[in-house]
Amino acid sequence: MKYIDEFNDPQLARRLLDEIRATATRPWALMEVCGGQTHSIIRHGIDQLLPEQVELIHGPGCPVCVTPLEVIDKALEIAARPGVIFCSFGDMLRVPGTDRDLFRVKGEGGDVRVVYSPLDALALARRNPDREVVFFAIGFETTAPANAMAVHQARRLGLSNFSLLVSHVRVPPAVEAIMTAPECRVQGFLAAGHVCSVMGMAEYPELAERFRVPMVVTGFEPLDILEGIRRAVRQLERGEHRVENAYPRAVREEGNPAAVRMIEEVFEVTDRAWRGIGRIPASGWRLTDAFRAYDAEHRFDVTGIRTEEPAECRSGEVLQGLIKPTECAAFGTTCTPRTPLGATMVSSEGACAAYYLYRRMNAPTSRSGGATQEEVAPVA
């Protein structure tokens, strides 16, 4: 298959669904750890088309959503300072901090700009040598190479007015945290294809073996996701727990070695807090000592930050897959995309935003994450 439309073929989707129905003889719970997959699942109604034995649990796969509140508040503090050009991807501007967001800082006079690459921010630093340019470097392994490249280039060019506010997180430690949580119901994973396209698959076999869960590297189109589910269910029914690559058109076993080398030169592994989840050991990256001069937290000495999450927001439970968005009383009432309580409602990869956008407004009725037959939506 060469074209994206072929990955939306309804006839092939029905065949895959029939195979999944024929294979699944017991209840199985699979988690996708990718916000892009979550949106594709909800948009196309894949979770509602699956047999009742197969449940999809939405994991902490939204990079915006897991950026900790403390870092958001530090971003707001830095962005409000005179002489600073604060650059970010557009998703972050509506993410609520303790008492405001970046849009509000911009409205109050802060120079907050949306960019499409950290290299755009680097270009701004070159054009504005009298201003401090800060890029909000968030995300999983997918965005880390470009952010590392920006810092590498800044040092090569001798730019002293460029820095990163870093909040990078890593997927494998999050998988371990999920599997060791006492409330865990996950029996298999759909691994994020874009993360594996960068880092490869080397970290996953040990996790699959230790926790005895299949891990299937999966893409983002409907047929990609259905094929990932089919392979995971087949392994579960056979009592297997292997890593499979169901996304070979983008993912190689070794990933992208050049990207990995760039990450390892600029970043080092560190403990990282995840919003709504807590601190996960070795789950993030920070700049190495060699590049510490480009660390915005050190440069701006942002301290004394006091954070407070809204009591009624249950986005942390959504991120851990403990509840579906519709099980939160604030969903669609006090919490909407225009008045968000948490990042999961504003990010383009957030589960709450997906449920709201695609009109999943009712609480589950037939199972956790399920729906009545009348609510089933067709695959596009």
Side-chain angles (χ1 to χ4, degrees), residues 78-86 109-111 128-134 161 300:
I78 294 171
R81 294 190 180 185
V84 170
I85 300 174
F86 193 88
D111 193 348
N128 297 273
D130 58 332
R131 306 280 300 278
E132 286 284 345
V133 177
V134 181
N161 64 327
F300 292 92

Side-chain angles (χ1 to χ4, degrees), residues 12-344:
L12 291 177
R14 291 189 190 98
R15 284 169 52 186
L16 284 169
L17 283 163
D18 287 342
E19 288 190 44
I20 293 167
R21 290 191 188 98
T23 303
T25 63
R26 288 170 284 173
W28 301 114
L30 308 176
M31 174 177 278
E32 83 275 2
V33 193
C34 171
Q37 290 174 348
T38 298
H39 271 250
S40 187
I41 288 164
I42 303 304
R43 175 187 177 189
H44 297 288
I46 291 172
D47 58 328
Q48 298 176 319
L49 293 168
L50 292 171
E52 64 178 11
Q53 295 97 324
V54 181
E55 177 189 358
L56 295 182
I57 299 174
H58 314 311
C62 165
V64 172
C65 304
V66 301
T67 303
L69 183 58
E70 181 181 6
V71 176
I72 299 291
D73 284 352
K74 288 180 179 180
L76 298 172
E77 169 68 22
I78 294 171
R81 294 190 180 185
V84 170
I85 300 174
F86 193 88
C87 301
S88 171
F89 295 137
D91 268 10
M92 294 302 301
L93 269 65
R94 289 291 307 281
V95 176
T98 296
D99 56 10
R100 55 182 175 167
D101 58 26
L102 284 168
F103 262 131
R104 182 171 171 181
V105 171
K106 184 177 178 66
E108 293 171 347
D111 193 348
V112 178
R113 307 190 191 187
V114 174
V115 295
Y116 297 96
S117 162
L119 297 178
D120 293 340
L122 192 68
L124 279 172
R126 296 184 70 180
R127 294 197 300 268
N128 297 273
D130 58 332
R131 306 280 300 278
E132 286 284 345
V133 177
V134 181
F135 179 73
F136 203 174
I138 70 153
F140 290 99
E141 293 92 333
T142 321
T143 56
N147 292 335
M149 175 61 75
V151 171
H152 194 276
Q153 288 285 84
R155 188 173 71 170
R156 185 181 67 82
L157 295 168
L159 293 177
S160 60
N161 64 327
F162 177 78
S163 59
L164 301 182
L165 179 60
V166 179
S167 187
H168 272 303
V169 288
R170 302 173 57 240
V171 170
V175 170
E176 181 174 5
I178 289 164
M179 292 307 300
T180 54
E183 310 91 342
C184 179
R185 298 187 298 110
V186 178
Q187 297 163 292
F189 285 91
L190 305 181
H194 55 355
V195 169
C196 293
S197 71
V198 174
M199 303 302 295
M201 299 158 55
E203 293 185 89
Y204 293 100
E206 188 273 334
L207 292 169
E209 178 65 28
R210 177 155 45 115
F211 297 110
R212 304 185 68 80
V213 291
M215 306 187 76
V216 181
V217 179
T218 306
F220 307 91
E221 298 300 322
L223 294 188
D224 288 324
I225 293 168
L226 288 171
E227 173 63 8
I229 294 168
R230 185 188 72 84
R231 294 193 187 200
V233 170
R234 182 177 62 185
Q235 281 199 50
L236 288 166
E237 290 283 337
R238 294 176 175 177
E240 299 173 349
H241 44 274
R242 296 178 290 104
V243 177
E244 284 190 70
N245 183 7
Y247 197 34
R249 69 183 187 275
V251 174
R252 296 179 297 177
E253 179 75 25
E254 70 278 14
N256 185 328
V260 173
R261 285 195 298 271
M262 178 59 65
I263 292 171
E264 291 176 344
E265 179 181 351
V266 174
F267 294 116
E268 63 185 8
V269 173
T270 186
D271 298 346
R272 181 70 69 186
W274 294 50
R275 188 169 189 173
I277 298 175
R279 186 166 295 274
I280 301 176
S283 67
W285 279 309
R286 65 183 178 192
L287 291 167
T288 64
D289 288 341
F291 291 90
R292 193 58 51 83
Y294 298 95
D295 188 332
E297 287 195 56
H298 288 269
R299 179 172 296 193
F300 292 92
D301 190 26
V302 186
T303 59
I305 298 291
R306 299 181 63 182
T307 63
E308 184 177 355
E309 293 275 13
E312 64 271 36
C313 179
R314 301 180 67 186
S315 60
E317 294 170 84
V318 172
L319 287 169
Q320 295 175 72
L322 301 178
I323 65 170
K324 298 294 194 289
T326 47
E327 295 176 76
C328 174
F331 175 80
T333 55
T334 57
C335 182
T336 70
R338 292 183 66 87
T339 58
L341 295 178
T344 50

